[in-house]
Amino acid sequence: MNSFEIGQELTAVTMGIDTFERSQPAEGSLLGGEGLVPIYLGNGLVEAKSYTDRDTIRADITALETATAALAAGPRQVFLQGMLKSLRVTIKMLSGASPSFEEKVTDLVGAPAGREDAALIEDARGKVDVLLRKAGFVNGSLGERVQAWEEARAVPTEQIETVFRELMADAKARTDKLIFDTGDYDMVLNPVRGMFYTARCSFDQGKMDLNFDLNFTRAALKHLVCHEVYPGHSTQLLSTKKAFDEGRAPADTLLITTDAITGCVQEGIGDQGAHLIDFIEDGDDEIHVELRRVRSAAQTSAAWMLMVEGMPREEVADYLRDVAMGQEAWVQGRLRMAAHPFRGPFIASYWAGNESVRRVRERVSKEQWPVFLDALYSNANSPQSLEMFPQTVIEKVSA
C-alpha cells in the first residue's frame, strides 16, 4: 500500500470506529454518544468500515501499522504512525481500560507530557505587564490590571453580535486573500451558557457557539472569530475538503477534527489565526496575544497538577485565578474539561498546537510561504510531522 492507499483505509477504519461508538448507548460512554469525529465532510466519499466488535478494529489497526512501517521515513510516515497510536489508545479507553493521563497526553493527543515551563509563563506575564502599563493600566497587581483592562474593553452584551459581524467580514476578506477562498460560507453567532468551552465551531449548523457566561473584549472576539471560522476551523475544513476532491491530498485529510493527534495542529491553526492573516492591529490585540499565551500554557499545567500530581481542585483553581488571571467561568470550565476521562488530555492540544504552528510559521521564508500554507491547509498533520516542514513538500511531490 502506498501512503494514499493507507490514508483511504485509515479513514474507513476511523469512521468505522466513529459509527460503532455512535451506535453504543450514550449513557456511560466516554464519548457521550458523539462519536470520534465531530465534523466529517467525507460522507459518500469514503465508506466507513462496519464493525460489531473492537477486536476487529484492533486487527485493522495492526494491518495499517504494518503497511505504514514499510513507507519511506519522513513526515508522512510520522503522521500515520502517530495517528494509529492515537487510535490504539482510543480503543483501549473505549474498551474499559484506564491509561494514565500521561499516556493519553502523549499518545492520544500527541502533546508533550508534564507542566509547561514556569519561566515561559512568567515571561509572558511580564510582557502582559509591560503592555498594560503602556496602555495606561498601572494601578494594582497584574491580575487586578488584567481584570480592569478586560472590564474597560468589554463589549456590551447587546453589541456583541454587531462586533462579531464586523470582525467576521474583515477576517473573511483577509482569509480569502491570504489563505483560501472560502466562497459564500458564513457562520452565525449562537449564544450559549453553562458550557466548559469559550466558543465552538458548529460547522454543520453554520453556527459559532459563544459562551455568554464570559465577558469579551474586541480582541478576544477577534481571536475567537479567527480560531473558529476565518482562517481557523471552518476554513481548514473547507480547504482540506477541496484538496481531497482535487486529488491533491489523501483521504485522511478528511479526519482533521478527529479527537486524536490531528487536534493539536487544528487548534494551533486556530490560535495562530490572527497572525496567519496579519490581523494584529493594535495594543489591545498585543495584550490579548500574550494573555492567551499565559492562559494556554497555564491551563496545560493546571490539568497536569489536577490529574497527575493530585493537587486539590481548589488549589488548582487558585493557580488558574492567580497565574492565568482568568474569569471564574473560564476557570471552572477548564477544570471541568481537565477532569473528563476522554476530553481532559486534549486541554494540552491548544498550547502544543499553537507552539508547533508558531515555530514553523516564524521560520518559513517568504518564498516558502505558499507551499507552507498548502501543507498546513491541505493535509492532516501532527505537531511532529508539521515541524518536519519543508520535508513534507519533498515527500508529497515524490509520493
Side-chain angles (χ1 to χ4, degrees):
M1 297 172 73
N2 63 34
S3 70
F4 270 58
E5 291 168 337
I6 293 173
Q8 183 84 9
E9 180 70 4
L10 172 61
T11 305
V13 168
T14 304
M15 293 314 300
I17 297 171
D18 179 86
T19 302
F20 178 73
E21 294 304 330
R22 288 179 190 271
S23 72
Q24 305 303 303
E27 186 176 353
S29 167
L30 288 178
L31 298 178
E34 293 185 0
L36 186 63
V37 188
I39 305 170
Y40 179 62
L41 302 185
N43 289 322
L45 301 175
V46 180
E47 184 178 354
K49 300 201 74 168
S50 179
Y51 292 119
T52 57
D53 62 84
R54 297 190 181 98
D55 286 339
T56 308
I57 296 173
R58 292 188 187 92
D60 284 348
I61 292 175
T62 298
L64 281 168
E65 287 170 338
T66 300
T68 298
L71 295 176
R76 178 68 177 154
Q77 186 190 56
V78 165
F79 166 72
L80 291 169
Q81 288 174 333
M83 186 68 175
L84 291 167
K85 181 185 290 185
S86 187
L87 292 180
R88 275 210 176 276
V89 178
T90 296
I91 295 303
K92 181 189 296 187
M93 295 174 65
L94 295 175
S95 299
S98 300
S100 68
F101 191 80
E102 179 175 357
E103 182 181 350
K104 287 187 280 189
V105 168
T106 58
D107 295 352
L108 174 66
V109 180
R115 296 191 189 192
E116 292 306 328
D117 185 355
L120 182 150
I121 295 173
E122 281 307 308
D123 178 68
R125 281 168 53 88
K127 290 176 180 175
V128 172
D129 183 8
V130 170
L131 290 167
L132 283 173
R133 291 183 183 281
K134 184 178 178 181
F137 293 84
V138 298
N139 297 319
S141 67
L142 181 58
E144 289 169 340
R145 285 183 284 129
V146 166
Q147 182 179 355
W149 174 77
E150 289 187 320
E151 290 176 352
R153 300 291 196 267
V155 178
T157 302
E158 66 274 13
Q159 294 179 23
I160 287 179
E161 175 106 26
T162 299
V163 175
F164 169 78
R165 291 312 320 172
E166 292 171 353
L167 291 168
M168 283 279 285
D170 204 346
K172 176 176 170 56
R174 290 168 180 267
T175 297
D176 289 353
K177 178 182 178 181
L178 299 173
I179 305 289
F180 174 82
D181 187 349
T182 58
D184 59 0
Y185 183 80
D186 190 24
M187 186 170 271
V188 299
L189 187 68
N190 181 43
V192 296
R193 290 187 181 274
M195 302 299 177
F196 66 82
Y197 55 80
T198 303
R200 184 175 68 175
C201 171
S202 293
F203 181 88
D204 293 337
Q205 291 78 42
K207 297 178 180 179
M208 190 186 97
D209 303 330
L210 185 66
N211 189 349
F212 269 44
D213 289 335
L214 298 164
N215 296 322
F216 297 98
T217 64
R218 182 180 185 275
L221 285 174
K222 178 190 290 188
H223 165 78
L224 293 172
V225 164
C226 290
H227 186 107
E228 306 294 342
V229 195
Y230 310 116
H233 298 339
S234 294
T235 302
Q236 190 187 10
L237 282 159
L238 294 168
S239 62
T240 49
K241 173 64 162 51
K242 183 177 181 182
F244 173 75
D245 288 344
E246 294 176 352
R248 296 186 289 109
D252 53 82
T253 196
L254 299 168
L255 299 177
I256 57 168
T257 71
T258 308
D259 290 324
I261 60 165
T262 52
C264 278
V265 174
Q266 183 194 29
E267 301 299 353
I269 290 172
D271 276 356
Q272 284 286 299
H275 293 281
L276 289 168
I277 58 173
D278 193 23
F279 208 6
I280 307 298
E281 299 174 292
D282 55 30
D284 283 345
D285 286 342
E286 293 174 354
I287 291 170
H288 189 265
V289 166
E290 291 304 327
L291 200 51
R292 281 268 336 141
R293 284 179 61 78
V294 171
R295 289 171 174 168
S296 183
Q299 72 181 15
T300 304
S301 292
W304 193 264
M305 295 172 190
L306 183 71
M307 303 306 297
V308 178
E309 298 174 9
M311 285 181 61
R313 189 180 191 277
E314 195 55 31
E315 287 186 24
V316 180
D318 284 340
Y319 169 81
L320 288 173
R321 295 180 187 117
D322 297 340
V323 175
M325 303 167 289
Q327 297 175 43
E328 190 60 25
W330 176 83
V331 169
Q332 298 303 324
R334 295 298 85 186
L335 293 173
R336 284 167 56 196
M337 180 178 180
H340 191 284
F342 189 82
R343 311 291 180 196
F346 285 95
I347 205 167
S349 66
Y350 297 91
W351 176 255
N354 179 77
E355 290 301 282
S356 181
V357 175
R358 179 190 62 79
R359 282 191 290 265
V360 181
R361 175 183 66 80
E362 289 181 351
R363 65 173 167 78
V364 166
S365 67
K366 183 178 180 181
E367 291 72 27
Q368 290 175 319
W369 189 253
V371 188
F372 165 63
L373 289 180
D374 182 65
L376 191 62
Y377 278 89
S378 295
N379 301 275
N381 291 285
S382 66
Q384 295 75 21
S385 67
L386 179 66
E387 294 203 46
M388 297 172 78
F389 182 86
Q391 188 179 345
T392 309
V393 182
I394 299 170
E395 187 179 33
K396 185 175 179 182
V397 171
S398 61

